[in-house]
C-alpha cells in the first residue's frame, strides 16, 4: 500500500515552522499594521507604505494585463459563477416540519458575514485562485469579501493579473500582504485590515500552520498540503495524455504527488517513455522531472476493482479516469477531492475553466471532507418554535433526561413549561 506523503511530518521541521509562525502571529496581534509592513520587507523584500490596495491600482492593473488575459479570466469567472449558482440552488431552507403537534422545526441558510481570501504568490501569479476563492463567497451572499496576496517584486504591489481577477470576481477590498502575517491580520484585525469570520485559500507550509493555529478564533476552509493527482487509465487512452497530465501536477511544486494506476504493463512502459520525451521540450522540465523522480509512482494492478480500491484508500485531491468504461468506474469511486471523467477532461480544466473549485482536500482528507464550494460560506442554522401544546409534550421527557444527567436547572426549565 502506498501512502500519500505528508511533507510536514518531520518533527524538527514542524517545530521550526510552528515556532516561526507563532512568533509572527503574536507580532501581528500586538503591532498590527507596523508588523505587516516590517514582515513584508523581511520576507517579500518589498517596502510598503500602505497595505490596502487603492481603487486606482485596480484600474492601472487592467492596463498592465493583456486583453486576452482579461477575456480568459472573465470566461473562467462566468463558468465558476454558473456552477456556484447551481450548487446554491441545491441548498434550501427548511421552513416548517412538525412531527409532534406544536413543535415546529426548521433551518435557515445564513451567509457568513465576512470572508478573507488568501491568494498565494509563489513562482507565478495565481489569478485563478482569486476567482475560485471570491466568486463562491459572492454567490453565497457574504456581506464583505476581502482578499490579500503577497507583493510582486516587479510591481511593488499585488501582481496586476491577480488584481484584475480579484476585481472581476467582485472583491470588496484587497490588501498587499502574504504569509503567516496575513493570516494573523485576518484573524485579529489591525488598524487597516478588518478581521474576518472565515479564511479560505491555499498557501505554503507557513500559511497552513498559521491557519491551524488560529482555527477556532476564526473559521478556515481546510489545512491543505502539496497538490496530488491519481490517474486510472487503460490502453484505450494515448500514453501521451497520461504522461502530460502527470507532469502537469509535477510542475506545481517539488512536493506534489503524481500517481498512475493501470492494468496494462504496456501502457505503463509507454507512459514512462512519453514522460522522458515530454521533458525534453517542457519549459518547466527541471522542476517537473525532479518532482516525478521524487514523488511519481506507477502502480500496475490486476483489475480495475483493485485500482478503485487503491484510489479510495488514497483519497487523492484530483482523480482522473481514462478508460473504456469511465462512467461505470466513476460510479464505484467514493473518495476524491474532484473527479475528472474521460480522456478529454484533464485536471487542468478544473484548475482554471470548467467551473468546479480547485481548492481541494489533500493528504487523504477527501475521505471525510470536501473542497471549497458555495456551501463553505453558508451556515445551516437550526430554528425551532414550540407552542404550549408542544411544550406539554416535550417537558416530561426533557425533565427526565436532564435529571439523568444531573442538570437540575435544565430540569427546572422544562418543568416550568409543563402545562404553562
Amino acid at each position: 500500500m502506498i501512502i500519500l506523503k505528508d511533507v510536514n511530518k518531520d518533527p524538527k521541521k514542524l517545530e521550526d515552522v510552528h515556532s516561526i509562525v507563532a512568533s509572527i502571529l503574536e507580532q501581528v496581534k500586538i503591532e498590527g499594521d507596523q508588523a505587516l509592513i516590517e514582515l513584508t520587507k523581511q520576507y517579500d523584500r518589498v517596502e510598503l507604505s500602505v497595505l490596502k490596495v487603492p481603487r486606482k491600482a485596480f484600474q492601472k492593473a487592467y492596463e498592465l494585463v493583456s486583453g486576452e488575459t482579461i477575456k480568459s479570466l472573465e470566461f473562467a469567472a462566468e463558468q465558476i459563477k454558473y456552477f456556484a449558482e447551481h450548487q446554491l440552488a441545491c441548498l434550501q431552507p427548511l421552513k416548517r416540519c412538525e412531527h409532534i403537534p406544536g413543535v415546529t422545526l426548521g433551518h435557515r441558510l445564513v451567509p457568513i458575514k465576512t470572508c478573507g481570501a488568501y491568494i498565494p504568490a509563489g513562482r507565478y501569479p495565481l489569478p485563478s485562485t482569486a476567482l475560485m476563492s471570491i466568486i463562491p463567497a459572492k454567490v453565497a451572499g457574504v456581506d464583505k469579501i476581502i482578499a490579500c496576496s503577497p507583493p510582486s517584486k516587479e510591481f511593488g504591489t499585488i501582481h496586476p493579473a491577480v488584481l484584475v481577477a480579484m476585481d472581476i470576481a467582485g472583491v470588496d477590498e484587497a490588501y498587499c500582504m502574504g504569509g503567516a502575517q496575513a493570516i494573523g491580520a485576518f484573524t485579529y484585525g489591525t488598524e487597516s485590515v478588518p478581521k474576518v469570520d472565515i479564511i479560505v485559500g491555499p498557501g505554503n507550509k507557513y500559511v497552513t500552520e498559521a491557519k491551524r493555529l488560529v482555527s477556532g478564533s476564526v473559521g478556515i476552509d481546510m489545512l491543505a498540503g502539496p497538490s496530488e493527482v491519481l490517474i486510472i487509465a487503460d490502453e484505450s487512452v494515448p500514453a501521451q495524455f497520461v504522461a502530460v497530465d502527470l507532469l502537469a501536477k509535477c510542475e506545481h511544486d517539488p512536493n506534489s504527488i503524481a500517481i498512475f494506476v493501470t492494468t496494462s504493463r504496456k501502457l505503463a512502459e509507454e507512459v514512462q517513455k512519453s514522460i522522458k520525451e515530454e521533458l525534453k521540450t517542457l519549459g518547466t522540465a527541471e522542476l517537473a522531472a525532479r518532482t516525478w523522480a521524487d514523488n511519481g509512482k506507477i502502480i500496475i494492478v490486476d483489475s480495475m476493482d483493485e485500482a478503485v480500491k487503491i484510489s479510495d484508500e488514497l483519497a487523492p485531491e484530483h482523480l482522473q479516469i481514462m478508460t473504456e468504461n469511465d462512467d461505470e468506474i466513476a460510479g464505484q469511486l467514493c473518495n476524491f477531492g474532484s473527479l475528472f471523467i474521460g480522456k478529454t477532461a484533464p485536471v487542468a480544466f478544473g484548475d482554471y475553466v470548467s467551473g468546479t473549485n480547485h481548492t481541494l482536500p489533500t493528504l487523504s482528507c477527501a475521505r471525510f471532507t470536501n473542497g471549497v464550494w458555495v456551501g463553505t460560506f453558508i451556515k445551516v442554522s437550526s430554528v425551532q418554535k414550540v407552542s404550549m401544546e408542544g411544550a406539554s409534550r416535550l417537558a416530561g421527557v426533557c425533565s427526565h433526561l436532564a435529571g439523568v444527567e444531573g442538570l437540575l436547572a435544565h430540569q427546572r426549565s422544562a418543568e416550568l413549561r409543563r402545562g404553562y
Side-chain angles (χ1 to χ4, degrees):
M1 184 64 231
I2 295 170
I3 304 299
L4 295 186
K5 181 175 66 173
D6 187 342
V7 296
N8 295 320
K9 287 299 184 183
D10 184 315
K12 182 64 170 66
K13 289 182 179 178
L14 276 174
E15 184 180 339
D16 290 345
V17 171
H18 174 86
S19 61
I20 291 169
V21 170
S23 175
I24 289 172
L25 292 176
E26 186 65 18
Q27 186 179 347
V28 171
K29 190 175 184 179
I30 294 171
E31 300 177 12
D33 281 0
Q34 187 58 39
L36 293 173
I37 290 170
E38 289 177 2
L39 290 164
T40 299
K41 182 179 179 180
Q42 178 181 346
Y43 290 113
D44 298 306
R45 304 289 190 268
V46 174
E47 292 193 41
L48 299 175
S49 55
V50 293
L51 298 164
K52 186 175 181 179
V53 178
R55 187 63 218 165
K56 63 181 181 182
F58 283 98
Q59 295 166 349
K60 184 179 179 181
Y62 278 87
E63 299 171 6
L64 298 172
V65 173
S66 72
E68 185 178 3
T69 297
I70 294 170
K71 287 181 180 179
S72 297
L73 288 170
E74 288 173 340
F75 177 96
E78 181 61 31
Q79 189 67 2
I80 295 165
K81 181 183 177 185
Y82 169 85
F83 186 59
E85 287 174 340
H86 279 70
Q87 286 185 310
L88 181 62
C90 294
L91 298 174
Q92 296 295 327
L94 179 58
K95 294 184 178 179
R96 180 185 179 90
C97 62
E98 191 173 293
H99 180 60
I100 297 172
V103 182
T104 304
L105 310 175
H107 68 232
R108 292 170 55 195
L109 304 180
V110 184
I112 292 171
K113 288 288 184 181
T114 57
C115 163
Y118 184 91
I119 316 303
R123 296 172 181 80
Y124 308 101
L126 298 172
S128 59
T129 301
L131 301 181
M132 299 286 180
S133 300
I134 297 167
I135 291 173
K138 197 78 175 176
V139 172
V142 174
D143 282 350
K144 188 172 186 178
I145 304 168
I146 63 176
C148 74
S149 190
S152 159
K153 290 180 183 177
E154 180 182 356
F155 297 98
T157 186
I158 297 172
H159 194 284
V162 175
L163 285 178
V164 170
M166 288 179 178
D167 191 58
I168 289 171
V171 76
D172 294 303
E173 295 176 4
Y175 292 83
C176 186
M177 59 182 187
Q181 58 269 28
I183 303 302
F186 277 159
T187 303
Y188 309 121
T190 70
E191 301 91 328
S192 298
V193 184
K195 66 179 181 179
V196 301
D197 297 319
I198 188 170
I199 301 172
V200 300
N204 63 19
K205 60 185 178 182
Y206 297 98
V207 171
T208 300
E209 176 64 7
K211 287 170 72 176
R212 187 184 72 81
L213 289 177
V214 302
S215 177
S217 298
V218 67
I220 64 169
D221 50 356
M222 69 188 78
L223 298 175
S227 193
E228 311 155 356
V229 69
L230 188 148
I231 298 174
I232 297 174
D234 61 22
E235 290 187 19
S236 66
V237 64
Q240 185 182 31
F241 281 28
V242 179
V244 171
D245 291 349
L246 290 168
L247 291 175
K249 187 55 54 185
C250 291
E251 71 179 357
H252 261 279
D253 182 272
N255 296 309
S256 294
I257 295 165
I259 300 172
F260 172 39
V261 183
T262 183
T263 53
S264 170
R265 180 171 295 276
K266 178 184 176 184
L267 179 61
E269 293 171 352
E270 289 175 350
V271 166
Q272 286 179 304
K273 292 177 183 177
S274 186
I275 286 174
K276 291 179 180 178
E277 287 301 311
E278 290 294 330
L279 286 171
K280 291 177 181 178
T281 56
L282 186 65
T284 53
E286 184 179 353
L287 172 59
R290 185 169 76 250
T291 306
W292 174 249
D294 292 343
N295 304 319
K297 296 179 178 69
I298 296 178
I299 305 171
I300 301 173
V301 294
D302 294 328
S303 68
M304 280 298 167
D305 287 341
E306 187 180 352
V308 168
K309 182 180 178 182
I310 288 173
S311 179
D312 269 351
E313 288 179 354
L314 292 177
E317 177 189 18
H318 303 92
L319 175 55
Q320 210 171 335
I321 306 170
M322 295 184 283
T323 70
E324 288 182 327
N325 302 299
D326 290 332
D327 291 330
E328 179 184 339
I329 294 169
Q332 298 172 29
L333 291 157
C334 299
N335 298 335
F336 48 83
S338 192
L339 179 61
F340 299 79
I341 304 172
K343 60 187 175 183
T344 52
V347 170
F349 285 171
D351 282 344
Y352 294 104
V353 292
S354 67
T356 59
N357 209 288
H358 73 200
T359 303
L360 301 165
T362 60
L363 300 172
S364 298
C365 291
R367 293 176 297 110
F368 53 81
T369 192
N370 52 262
V372 170
W373 70 300
V374 71
T376 300
F377 307 95
I378 295 176
K379 300 176 292 178
V380 181
S381 304
S382 60
V383 177
Q384 52 209 282
K385 184 176 181 180
V386 183
S387 68
M388 285 190 290
E389 180 187 5
S392 67
R393 291 174 178 270
L394 297 181
V397 177
C398 180
S399 174
H400 174 78
L401 293 175
V404 169
E405 295 189 355
L407 299 176
L408 302 185
H410 283 66
Q411 189 176 53
R412 177 67 173 150
S413 177
E415 287 291 345
L416 285 174
R417 271 72 179 187
R418 190 200 294 265
Y420 172 72

